[in-house]
Amino acid sequence: MLKKIIIIHTGGTISMKEDKSSGEVSTSTEHPLSNSASIFNHDAHIEEDFLFNLPSPQITPAHMLELGRRIHDKLAAGNFDGVVVTHGTDTLEETAYFLDLFLQTRKPVVVTGAMRSSNEIGSDGLYNLISAVRVANTDEAQDKGVLVVMNDEIHTAKNVTKTSTSNVATFQSPQYGPIGIITKQEILFHQKLIAYESYPIQQLNKNVALVKAYAGMESNFIRAIHNAGIDGLVIEALGQGNLPEGIIPALQEMIDDNIPIILVSRCYQGIVQATYTYEGGGRQLKNMGLIFANGLTGPKARIKLMVVLELTNKLTELSPMFE
């Protein structure tokens, strides 16, 4: 019996066309891949749902929550065996990671997109869509969390990131690599998840800021963010988790106000560690109460903090969720 897969479209380059005269790429009134379902007739029963038609820089956490609820409702009804989401690549990794934290399902959920619009030479959209449906259609894709399928590779939502502005091989998982590959004949998984986390939130209203540390950073910048009324802060720190000493007083003020601060590294490999004991070093930051996130990028740590703050804002409860 053929499986039933639903494709939920949200917009992005995969839904756009190039103006041949100017080279500009923009949204179109009709999704260029909307009539492609017939391609899968021999492999799966396909239905399509056009939820959004947005460039991914316009996707907000509210859109992510709406998408998560839509997927939950479709799967809970028992009518579908898997889900494919088409999405713009700029914020694809954030949406995929939110879905990974939000959804509670064994069924495959696969996110894909395109680096080239549908009518560009070398367009990758239709091929990635076919690959994503193939992955969602396999029994082996169950119990692996939300997956990202691009360019013949299968990545976990937690580890994947966009590494190039325009290369079709942009999505990579630094340190970890893809958990599977796609060939013309097979879907091959060579890694499996050893842990899974899910947070059944009902809303997503917390205001979490993300900043990147830099040489000579001063407290006035941190205080301005503090005064904006944020609920949490993520800092992409230097190296193993160190910060300029000039911002330490402002960070202490935030901690005193019970505003959680999550620390990740601005390096794309390695994890933050409480190693250095100098002023602004990781050991001091850890002792102050900053929470060290194990292996997450800044954007994903922000998504996770927004999610878990809907459940608690106690530092003692937040810390084990990240560390």
Side-chain angles (χ1 to χ4, degrees), residues 210-228:
L210 168 63
V211 299
K212 184 187 289 286
Y214 53 85
M217 199 174 189
E218 297 179 345
S219 277
N220 287 343
F221 179 58
I222 299 298
R223 289 195 175 101
I225 296 173
H226 185 182
N227 294 334

Side-chain angles (χ1 to χ4, degrees), residues 45 91 151 160-161 217 295 313:
H45 292 298
T91 59
N151 200 44
V160 75
T161 189
M217 199 174 189
N313 66 347

Side-chain angles (χ1 to χ4, degrees), residues 6-311:
I6 184 166
I7 302 173
I8 302 178
H9 298 288
T10 68
T13 299
I14 195 170
S15 67
M16 298 181 184
K17 291 184 178 180
E18 180 188 52
D19 185 308
K20 294 300 183 181
S21 60
S22 66
E24 297 173 349
V25 177
S26 189
T27 55
S28 56
T29 55
E30 181 179 353
H31 197 297
L33 301 183
S34 61
N35 297 317
S36 302
S38 60
I39 296 174
F40 308 104
N41 281 347
H42 300 297
D43 303 309
H45 292 298
I46 301 295
E47 289 190 22
E48 292 183 281
D49 183 4
F50 296 88
L51 182 59
F52 309 126
N53 186 22
L54 293 172
S56 67
Q58 296 179 15
I59 293 287
T60 67
H63 291 118
M64 297 177 194
L65 182 59
E66 184 177 351
L67 173 60
R69 287 172 172 163
R70 181 69 64 94
I71 294 172
H72 175 271
D73 292 344
K74 294 292 185 181
L75 292 179
N79 297 325
F80 297 99
D81 301 295
V83 178
V84 170
V85 176
T86 64
H87 197 286
T89 59
D90 284 352
T91 59
L92 184 150
E93 64 197 83
E94 290 163 85
T95 295
Y97 186 53
F98 169 78
L99 295 176
D100 196 49
L101 295 174
F102 175 80
L103 294 172
Q104 300 175 70
T105 181
R106 296 181 63 248
K107 294 181 178 180
V109 177
V110 181
V111 185
T112 192
M115 293 302 293
R116 296 171 183 161
S117 57
S118 60
N119 61 337
E120 287 185 66
I121 295 174
S123 174
D124 56 332
L126 180 56
Y127 184 83
N128 285 338
L129 179 59
I130 292 171
S131 297
V133 170
R134 289 180 61 200
V135 171
N137 199 34
T138 63
D139 293 336
E140 291 78 12
Q142 295 189 61
D143 287 320
K144 288 185 170 59
V146 174
L147 302 172
V148 172
V149 169
M150 298 279 289
N151 200 44
D152 283 333
E153 293 183 340
I154 308 167
H155 296 264
T156 64
K158 181 178 180 179
N159 294 328
V160 75
T161 189
K162 187 175 182 178
T163 63
S164 169
T165 58
S166 58
N167 194 311
V168 294
T170 180
F171 281 92
Q172 305 291 329
S173 296
Q175 296 190 109
Y176 307 101
I179 67 166
I181 60 172
I182 301 159
T183 72
K184 292 184 181 298
Q185 288 80 32
E186 296 180 275
I187 308 297
L188 302 172
F189 286 95
H190 50 255
Q191 295 185 39
K192 66 178 181 179
L193 296 181
I194 59 173
Y196 182 74
E197 56 184 334
S198 179
Y199 303 97
I201 61 170
Q202 301 301 315
Q203 57 186 8
L204 197 62
N205 297 322
K206 300 302 181 182
N207 182 13
V208 176
L210 168 63
V211 299
K212 184 187 289 286
Y214 53 85
M217 199 174 189
E218 297 179 345
S219 277
N220 287 343
F221 179 58
I222 299 298
R223 289 195 175 101
I225 296 173
H226 185 182
N227 294 334
I230 61 172
D231 300 298
L233 175 65
V234 176
I235 303 178
E236 292 186 359
L238 309 170
Q240 290 187 33
N242 311 302
L243 293 171
E245 61 179 336
I247 68 171
I248 301 304
L251 295 179
Q252 186 63 61
E253 293 165 12
M254 294 185 71
I255 293 293
D256 292 342
D257 278 351
N258 199 41
I259 297 174
I261 304 173
I262 308 298
L263 207 69
V264 301
S265 178
R266 70 180 195 180
C267 302
Y268 73 93
Q269 295 196 66
I271 62 172
V272 285
Q273 302 175 78
T275 301
Y276 291 95
T277 58
Y278 53 74
E279 187 76 8
R283 177 68 64 177
Q284 180 196 28
L285 301 176
K286 181 80 168 180
N287 292 338
M288 285 173 57
L290 275 71
I291 298 171
F292 283 44
N294 187 357
L296 289 177
T297 64
K300 290 182 182 176
R302 174 180 174 266
I303 291 293
K304 184 172 183 178
L305 184 56
M306 292 180 70
V307 169
V308 297
L309 279 175
E310 297 293 343
L311 304 176

